[in-house]
Amino acid sequence: MRKTLIYCMLTGLFYSALSGESSLPIPPLLEGEEITLTVQQGTLALPFGDSDTLGYNGDYLGPTLRFSEGDSFNVLVDNTLNEDTTVHWHGMHIPAEFDGGPRQVVSAGGTWNPRFTIRQDAATLWYHPHLMGKTAEQVYRGLAGLIYIEDEFSRSLNIPREYGVNDIPLVLQDRRIDRDGRFRFAPAMADIMHGYTGNALLVNGAYKPELEIAGGTVRFRILNGSNSSIYRVRFSDGRKFTVIASDGGFLPETVSTDNLVLTSGERYEILVDLEKNEKVSLLTDIYGSDTHTAMTVDTDRSRPVLYEHPGRLRPFSIPGEETPAETRTFLMQTMGMMGFAINGKSMSMDRIDETIRLDTTEHWIVENRRTGMMAFPHSFHVHDVQFRILSLNGEAPPPLLSGPKDTILLYPGDTYRLALRFRDYEGIYMYHCHFLEHEDSGMMGQFEIIP
Ligand code: C2O
Ligand code: CU
């Protein structure tokens, strides 16, 4: 393997002139009633060197778990680490005791077995640790995986659905490769403020991999699995693609675009048409940083199987969204060096910040006010629900933000109005900024759903 590492004295970053030599890893697919996730230590070999990592059932990242609506979810988490962890099922409508937030610690050497019935629409979700103060580090070291939910509607659509063949998961993450060719989690104060941005972009744990595939229509399910980066994803030739789903499922109407912005934790599903025998790269611009070639897609000479891109998909509204039982405001605040808060408060496990009645619909106003020099983007994620964006800065949301969502990006000055419906389960859940360094610094709160 040819390695060309150039150490840049100015930035202290490594750049690699390596072109993609590995093929895109596809995480194993796990289905069925008895799934075990073993949390373990591992090693990830990249062209720069080997890093010490964590993974589920492997060295880095974890399997894709696939369920249908109505299935029972029954996953045994076996923590073989000598540190505590949790496993949070991001985007799932789930009983509070199985949410996997900071309240459900799986101790070092311990096990945990969440079990419930899946009651939500088809979507691409994901799982990752959520241990108080340790989320950023454990995710960074490799703990994350995807969850697919299918339902009657998703099965009725004529879209690519063959896992790893024409339905391809893409977990995008940036990692900071040190002088010694490894990545490790060691943020300085500025990294906590601005996010721990890396100099290498990984897709499914590989650096600039190549995806060799038959031409035709391909469905990509894209997760921004980074700690705190905002990505703009696009193709090197500027080609258009069709967006069919956002965080919590299908869009009411598909959107044709040539680029997509995702903050950490957000997902989109896209359809893209590839000719035979062509080569195109997927690029990722990191907000405030560089543009990376995430991977290259290489099609063979076989005859491409093209699918018609759908137009209208599934309408989305929240019951009672016009007449909220309660309206709450959440101010996302940068308080000065190292400090982050929501409504002036830093996360405390001993405090319930909001109390909500079961079976009600609420409006949540989420604001990232521009205050002096402390203007940072933030994001906002709510556990247990998929919400609808009623407005962004007073206007109807753009089509890409009109479907089911659980995570939103707030640039300085942004205000969202959300409609949320709390159904089925009582108990304590989290809301927080999904920039993991911010979350770990206290930018999180708890809500309790009561009868
Ligand atoms: Cu993806 Cu509360 O997390
Ligand atoms: Cu934040």
Side-chain angles (χ1 to χ4, degrees):
M1 191 185 290
R2 190 173 63 94
K3 287 189 193 181
T4 316
L5 294 176
I6 302 157
Y7 183 63
C8 170
M9 300 305 290
L10 279 176
T11 60
L13 303 178
F14 274 120
Y15 292 95
S16 169
L18 263 190
S19 61
E21 292 180 41
S22 59
S23 56
L24 178 75
I26 302 292
L29 183 65
L30 292 186
E31 297 181 279
E33 271 242 19
E34 262 144 64
I35 290 173
T36 300
L37 286 182
T38 303
V39 194
Q40 59 193 68
Q41 289 189 308
T43 305
L44 183 68
L46 293 174
F48 323 100
D50 295 352
S51 300
D52 295 326
T53 54
L54 302 177
Y56 298 105
N57 304 359
D59 285 305
Y60 188 80
L61 297 177
T64 299
L65 315 182
R66 188 163 67 185
F67 302 96
S68 285
E69 194 213 355
D71 278 0
S72 52
F73 179 104
N74 181 357
V75 177
L76 182 72
V77 175
D78 181 7
N79 179 12
T80 69
L81 306 181
N82 45 27
E83 57 186 295
D84 294 352
T85 191
T86 82
V87 186
H88 168 58
W89 319 99
H90 179 129
M92 287 204 98
H93 177 48
I94 188 168
E97 65 192 293
F98 299 136
D99 182 50
R103 308 182 72 85
Q104 288 89 38
V105 175
V106 191
S107 44
T111 61
W112 182 55
N113 183 204
R115 264 169 298 175
F116 63 98
T117 301
I118 294 173
R119 302 192 214 179
Q120 71 185 103
D121 290 344
T124 301
L125 314 174
W126 65 302
Y127 57 97
H128 63 77
H130 214 303
L131 189 67
M132 194 63 182
K134 281 286 202 177
T135 298
E137 178 176 352
Q138 292 190 345
V139 172
Y140 198 82
R141 290 165 72 193
L143 292 177
L146 290 167
I147 303 171
Y148 290 3
I149 313 272
E150 302 293 343
D151 64 9
E152 238 166 77
F153 181 77
S154 71
R155 281 188 290 264
S156 77
L157 294 172
N158 184 32
I159 53 176
R161 63 180 77 255
E162 237 186 295
Y163 184 77
V165 176
N166 59 11
D167 182 355
I168 312 279
L170 300 178
V171 179
L172 305 182
Q173 301 173 304
D174 53 275
R175 291 293 181 264
R176 190 176 300 180
I177 310 298
D178 292 338
R179 277 164 201 260
D180 62 2
R182 306 157 178 241
F183 66 85
R184 58 174 67 78
F185 188 73
M189 193 183 280
D191 298 320
I192 291 174
M193 300 292 284
H194 297 277
Y196 197 44
T197 306
N199 52 356
L201 204 281
L202 308 185
V203 188
N204 299 348
Y207 178 70
K208 281 194 199 173
E210 216 167 74
L211 172 64
E212 283 176 42
I213 199 172
T217 305
V218 179
R219 175 184 188 179
F220 288 112
R221 307 200 193 208
I222 307 171
L223 163 69
N224 178 339
S226 73
N227 274 33
S228 297
S229 299
I230 302 167
Y231 294 151
R232 181 181 297 278
V233 176
R234 56 194 171 91
F235 288 95
S236 50
D237 61 356
R239 77 179 57 203
K240 288 202 159 190
F241 49 87
T242 301
V243 187
I244 59 171
S246 58
D247 300 339
F250 292 107
L251 293 172
E253 299 204 28
T254 61
V255 178
S256 170
T257 182
D258 59 10
N259 75 92
L260 266 183
V261 174
L262 301 94
T263 191
S264 49
E266 277 188 301
R267 290 88 64 207
Y268 280 112
E269 293 182 31
I270 68 170
L271 300 181
V272 58
D273 291 334
L274 302 166
E275 302 295 319
K276 65 177 172 189
N277 206 20
E278 72 170 342
K279 197 168 187 150
V280 64
S281 299
L282 186 75
L283 305 181
T284 301
D285 312 304
I286 304 183
Y287 178 85
S289 180
D290 304 317
T291 295
H292 298 257
T293 298
M295 64 172 195
T296 53
V297 183
D298 231 329
T299 59
D300 61 24
R301 299 185 155 278
S302 58
R303 183 204 293 254
V305 181
L306 290 165
Y307 288 69
E308 202 179 309
H309 295 202
R312 247 169 243 274
L313 286 172
R314 175 149 53 192
F316 179 59
S317 62
I318 302 284
E321 64 184 21
E322 300 294 332
T323 50
E326 193 84 52
T327 300
R328 302 172 200 265
T329 300
F330 297 85
L331 299 178
M332 309 304 284
Q333 296 158 318
T334 308
M335 310 291 280
M337 290 318 266
M338 295 284 286
F340 295 99
I342 301 178
N343 292 339
K345 295 176 288 186
S346 180
M347 168 72 180
S348 164
M349 293 275 276
D350 305 325
R351 188 189 63 232
I352 300 299
D353 298 280
E354 310 291 336
T355 304
I356 292 164
R357 292 239 170 246
L358 186 66
D359 285 326
T360 61
T361 295
E362 299 202 346
H363 283 186
W364 287 15
I365 297 166
V366 190
E367 284 185 50
N368 181 11
R369 286 189 189 153
R370 220 186 282 277
T371 43
M373 305 200 16
M374 290 300 175
F376 289 99
H378 291 292
S379 62
F380 190 72
H381 167 55
V382 187
H383 288 204
D384 183 48
V385 298
Q386 291 295 332
F387 51 74
R388 189 161 99 86
I389 299 172
L390 297 176
S391 68
L392 167 55
N393 301 327
E395 314 251 338
L400 279 176
L401 299 181
S402 298
K405 292 285 294 169
D406 57 51
T407 306
I408 50 174
L409 167 62
L410 297 103
Y411 291 110
D414 279 350
T415 300
Y416 285 79
R417 181 182 283 265
L418 314 176
L420 312 88
R421 174 99 188 156
F422 300 91
R423 61 182 175 105
D424 300 322
Y425 310 122
E426 295 158 19
I428 302 171
Y429 300 91
M430 310 290 141
Y431 56 85
H432 56 90
C433 178
H434 214 287
F435 292 166
L436 302 182
E437 285 75 31
H438 292 183
E439 174 188 337
D440 279 347
S441 313
M443 204 166 199
M444 175 156 64
Q446 303 187 92
F447 66 96
E448 181 167 16
I449 304 176
I450 59 162

